[in-house]
Amino acid sequence: MSDFTSDFWAYYVAGIIIVSIIACWVLLILTGKTHAMTADDNTTGHVWDGDLREMNNPLPRWWSYMFVLTILFAFVYLALYPGLGSYPGQLGWTSRGLHQSEVDKGNKEIEPIYAKFLSMKPEEIAKDAQAMAIGERLYSNNCAVCHASDARGNKGFPNLTDGDWLHGGTPEKIQETIVQGRNGNMAPIAAAVGSADDVKNVANYVLSLSNSPHDAAKAALGKEKFAVCAACHGPDGKGMQAIGSANLTDNIWLHGFGEATIVGHINNGIVNIMPPQGQLLTKGQLHVLVSYIWGLSNKS
């Protein structure tokens, strides 16, 4: 990987660009000095369709000057703006900087709209039609790609409307999740559970906790081995919001259910990552978005 981040590639790209521009200049000079053999009537001798002859007229002066100007413009542009490998240009312009300046300008223009919401509690904002319309757009731009446009989630991405929260559903916890992100990690625990049959028995016991379809005989055998799972999910299987472990008794399955699926989780573990989003939002936007998401599962 270091081969693609070394200075060599910056020089390589810059060299190709400079050589290409110089080659255009040389080509223009050479073609200007080259004279094709012509007949007495100033044609090249090429004839199409019997009477269509190619004339050997020189390029118009204005066209040649325009060609020269484009070459000069290329050198000026590359001196001012990034284009020669890692060279940043004299103006220090970047597309990221331009985007950020436009974002900052837009945020400043809408700041008064969010100012009034900052003094309101999430419970109050959730009842404000204007705030919820804004929150819906913030959600669509920042959250819908994973949690779906209706906020009901997808396999592996939590449903935000059902009131089932791995880390807690208070406005404070929702904000913490958005700002800091989450890293859910269930380690493979098959070795601690025991044999392959023990793993299947535990899987059926887990299914029995929510009265999901299961083998009662296997579930009874797996109850004792569930102690390995209880370290995170609790002895009653209701989970622990302090560490983000799932409630196994509510029949809500983030990664699917069934004996084969749960056996796979026990054998292979699960890793779920939500990246932090706080840097993408202003304080006012974050407050409205938190209130909107909180309101999805707390509608009166």
Side-chain angles (χ1 to χ4, degrees):
M1 187 63 185
S2 60
D3 293 341
F4 293 92
T5 58
S6 68
D7 292 337
F8 166 78
W9 293 106
Y11 293 126
Y12 179 78
V13 172
I16 290 178
I17 294 172
I18 293 175
V19 169
S20 298
I21 296 175
I22 294 176
C24 290
W25 184 280
V26 173
L27 178 64
L28 181 63
I29 294 175
L30 292 179
T31 54
K33 293 182 177 181
T34 301
H35 300 283
M37 296 298 293
T38 60
D40 295 337
D41 58 356
N42 195 37
T43 65
T44 62
H46 298 157
V47 181
W48 293 271
D49 297 333
D51 59 355
L52 184 60
R53 299 176 183 276
E54 180 182 12
M55 303 299 291
N56 187 35
N57 294 324
L59 290 173
R61 288 286 184 181
W62 66 266
W63 191 96
S64 299
Y65 293 150
M66 288 293 292
F67 204 156
V68 172
L69 286 175
T70 59
I71 293 174
L72 294 176
F73 173 81
F75 281 114
V76 173
Y77 179 91
L78 291 173
L80 297 176
Y81 294 94
L84 292 175
S86 60
Y87 174 67
Q90 290 295 312
L91 298 180
W93 181 93
T94 63
S95 58
R96 177 176 295 181
L98 177 62
H99 173 262
Q100 189 59 51
S101 65
E102 292 178 349
V103 169
D104 292 341
K105 179 181 177 182
N107 287 338
K108 187 174 182 180
E109 291 176 351
I110 62 177
E111 187 176 353
I113 298 176
Y114 288 100
K116 69 174 182 179
F117 297 130
L118 284 172
S119 61
M120 298 170 60
K121 295 180 179 180
E123 296 82 358
E124 298 172 333
I125 296 177
K127 297 178 182 179
D128 187 293
Q130 181 189 21
M132 289 299 93
I134 295 173
E136 182 179 13
R137 285 161 178 76
L138 290 171
Y139 172 87
S140 297
N141 291 335
N142 297 278
C143 314
V145 66
C146 291
H147 296 281
S149 58
D150 60 0
R152 294 186 180 278
N154 294 295
K155 187 176 181 179
F157 301 97
N159 182 341
L160 303 179
T161 69
D162 59 7
D164 183 64
W165 299 92
L166 292 175
H167 296 272
T170 64
E172 293 75 20
K173 279 295 181 180
I174 295 174
Q175 178 168 319
E176 180 182 293
T177 297
I178 294 174
V179 173
Q180 299 179 7
R182 297 293 183 187
N183 190 347
N185 192 342
M186 171 183 166
I189 57 172
V193 170
S195 66
D197 287 337
D198 290 331
V199 170
K200 290 181 180 179
N201 293 338
V202 169
N204 277 276
Y205 178 73
V206 169
L207 289 169
S208 73
L209 293 175
S210 59
N211 201 30
S212 298
H214 64 281
D215 185 310
K218 290 182 178 180
L221 294 173
K223 183 175 181 179
E224 181 179 352
K225 292 290 186 178
F226 181 77
V228 177
C229 310
C232 291
H233 294 281
D236 56 2
K238 293 185 178 298
M240 301 180 187
Q241 290 186 349
I243 60 174
S245 60
N247 182 347
L248 305 177
T249 69
D250 57 9
N251 205 26
I252 295 176
W253 303 94
L254 181 58
H255 298 278
F257 72 104
E259 180 184 300
T261 299
I262 297 177
V263 166
H265 297 340
I266 296 173
N267 287 332
N268 305 317
I270 302 173
V271 176
N272 238 29
I273 297 176
M274 173 183 166
Q277 306 289 318
Q279 74 278 9
L280 304 176
L281 303 163
T282 65
K283 184 177 180 180
Q285 290 172 336
L286 177 62
H287 190 55
V288 172
L289 179 58
V290 167
S291 302
Y292 174 78
I293 294 176
W294 178 86
L296 291 174
S297 59
N298 289 275
K299 295 179 180 178
S300 55

